[in-house]
Amino acid sequence: MCVGGKKGIALVGALVGALAVALVAFGNPVNMGICIVCFIRDTAGALGLHRAPVVQYIRPEIIGIALGAWLMSLRGGDFRVRGGSAPFTRFILGFFVVVGALMFLGCPLRMVLRLAGGDLTAVFGLLGFTAGILVGVAFLNRGFTLGRTYSLPKGEGYLFPAVQVVLLILLVAGPAFIFFSSEGPGSLHAPILVSLLAGLIVGAGAQRSRLCMVGGIRDLVLFKDSHLISGFLAIFLVALVGNLVTGNFRLGFSGQPVAHTDWLWNFLGMLLAGLGSVLLGGCPLRQIVLGAEGNADSVITVLGMLVGAAFAHNFGLAASGAGATANGKLATIIGLIVVAAVGLLNTERAEVSVKGEVQVGS
């Protein structure tokens, strides 16, 4: 797969946008062809980590993304097993990124897909996400770092893809201890093989192109480089055209699928998600790809996201179509305080180089 340069990443973005539209046509929820946080939440429910009956399903797309990225990293020589860069801090950051995203009801990728579907409430999410990245960039400019990584035994790197294979077996076998939604977003899904194939393609493309919306906005601000952001522009344009063709485009604020109109909490939720993602060095999609490449710290981050998704539904933190909950508002404010504290406590005045890397700092 040739994805070099801006044309290459735009091609990957166009492919992701087309696959997102196709997955909706095959059965995924509208404006949720691919949503990393939503699918992590569904998987957490399927494993019984939360008992919200409408969002329980092991999502093959996540499995495919991880395995596709892993296979491509092996092929391209990018599989390097490392870790030790503030793993528990990364777990906490991953936890609160998901809390913020579920306040908005979607990850950065779904935010773009919602915009492409005509959901104007996602504009407030985009503004908040951008604001969070700008705050994160300010930390980077002051020398924020979570420390360096260290080489680990190679076997450590194979555990994350191995877990994906186990999840795929559980999905296909459907034992009694795995939960499946009979209604709601969790009950809406494309056939397993279609979802898995789409995930494999997205994972492979994201690994080779370094597709990451956080990195795109960050690089645009820090370096005036539009390379990474061009991938998400392509996702938006292709998904927009696809939604117009399939009749899934509905311009407006109200009545949007799996969304709410509480603009302040859409803004603050994605502010938290954006800030946390910058400090982590990448969005939820990028964390899965990095974990598949052998970065154990990103695997810990993904586990933090899984636990965050479970907490969000066990304790009423996640928003719904009716709007934000009181618990969710409190959790979002606490998350902003905690993530800002992480930024302040790990800031050193040093020259930094962050472009294209999970490591931020010297």
Side-chain angles (χ1 to χ4, degrees), residues 108-191:
L109 178 52
R110 184 172 188 244
M111 177 179 67
V112 173
L113 296 176
R114 281 173 57 174
L115 288 168
D119 183 352
L120 295 180
T121 64
V123 172
F124 299 108
L126 177 60
L127 292 174
F129 188 65
T130 303
I133 292 173
L134 292 177
V135 175
V137 166
F139 281 121
L140 298 184
N141 284 332
R142 291 175 59 86
F144 173 83
T145 176
L146 289 177
R148 59 167 295 183
T149 59
Y150 302 87
S151 294
L152 297 174
K154 200 164 186 178
E156 187 83 11
Y158 292 114
L159 294 177
F160 187 54
V163 168
Q164 308 309 314
V165 174
V166 171
L167 288 174
L168 181 59
I169 292 172
L170 290 174
L171 172 62
V172 174
F177 60 83
I178 298 297
F179 297 87
F180 294 93
S181 296
S182 59
E183 59 181 359
S187 67
L188 302 175
H189 50 81

Side-chain angles (χ1 to χ4, degrees), residues 37-46 50 55-59 185-186:
V37 166
C38 303
F39 291 177
I40 288 174
R41 171 205 62 198
D42 292 354
T43 300
H50 72 71
V55 282
Q56 295 176 318
Y57 180 67
I58 296 176
R59 290 284 179 177

Side-chain angles (χ1 to χ4, degrees), residues 242-269:
N243 285 327
L244 289 169
V245 170
T246 58
N248 285 325
F249 182 83
R250 178 178 179 178
L251 185 65
F253 288 95
S254 62
Q256 296 292 344
V258 196
H260 62 82
T261 57
D262 196 333
W263 68 268
L264 175 61
W265 293 101
N266 278 327
F267 178 92
L268 291 176

Side-chain angles (χ1 to χ4, degrees), residues 83-358:
S85 171
F88 189 60
T89 298
R90 292 181 184 275
F91 180 94
I92 296 298
L93 289 173
F95 180 100
F96 281 114
V97 163
V98 164
V99 169
L102 290 179
M103 172 59 72
F104 168 74
L105 292 175
C107 67
L109 178 52
R110 184 172 188 244
M111 177 179 67
V112 173
L113 296 176
R114 281 173 57 174
L115 288 168
D119 183 352
L120 295 180
T121 64
V123 172
F124 299 108
L126 177 60
L127 292 174
F129 188 65
T130 303
I133 292 173
L134 292 177
V135 175
V137 166
F139 281 121
L140 298 184
N141 284 332
R142 291 175 59 86
F144 173 83
T145 176
L146 289 177
R148 59 167 295 183
T149 59
Y150 302 87
S151 294
L152 297 174
K154 200 164 186 178
E156 187 83 11
Y158 292 114
L159 294 177
F160 187 54
V163 168
Q164 308 309 314
V165 174
V166 171
L167 288 174
L168 181 59
I169 292 172
L170 290 174
L171 172 62
V172 174
F177 60 83
I178 298 297
F179 297 87
F180 294 93
S181 296
S182 59
E183 59 181 359
S187 67
L188 302 175
H189 50 81
I192 292 174
L193 187 59
V194 172
S195 297
L196 181 64
L197 179 60
L200 287 167
I201 295 171
V202 171
Q207 195 281 326
R208 296 308 298 160
S209 66
R210 305 296 190 263
L211 184 70
C212 177
M213 190 165 184
V214 168
I217 297 176
R218 179 202 64 196
D219 287 358
L220 192 63
V221 172
L222 279 176
F223 310 108
K224 312 302 179 188
D225 184 349
S226 60
H227 171 75
L228 288 178
I229 200 67
S230 63
F232 276 83
L233 291 174
I235 292 173
F236 170 77
L237 291 173
V238 171
L240 173 63
V241 172
N243 285 327
L244 289 169
V245 170
T246 58
N248 285 325
F249 182 83
R250 178 178 179 178
L251 185 65
F253 288 95
S254 62
Q256 296 292 344
V258 196
H260 62 82
T261 57
D262 196 333
W263 68 268
L264 175 61
W265 293 101
N266 278 327
F267 178 92
L268 291 176
M270 289 308 283
L271 173 69
L272 174 56
L275 175 55
S277 293
V278 171
L279 300 187
L280 284 165
C283 64
L285 170 63
R286 184 72 180 139
Q287 295 303 319
I288 291 176
V289 171
L290 287 167
E293 290 178 356
N295 191 315
D297 295 326
S298 290
V299 175
I300 294 296
T301 299
V302 174
L303 289 177
M305 293 178 183
L306 186 73
V307 173
F311 263 69
H313 282 279
N314 281 331
F315 297 98
L317 312 183
S320 68
T325 67
N327 286 354
K329 293 175 181 178
L330 179 60
T332 299
I333 296 300
I334 291 173
L336 287 168
I337 294 171
V338 169
V339 173
V342 169
L344 289 170
L345 293 172
N346 292 276
T347 294
E348 302 171 358
R349 290 194 175 275
E351 185 176 350
V352 296
S353 176
V354 299
K355 185 177 177 183
E357 299 291 337
V358 67

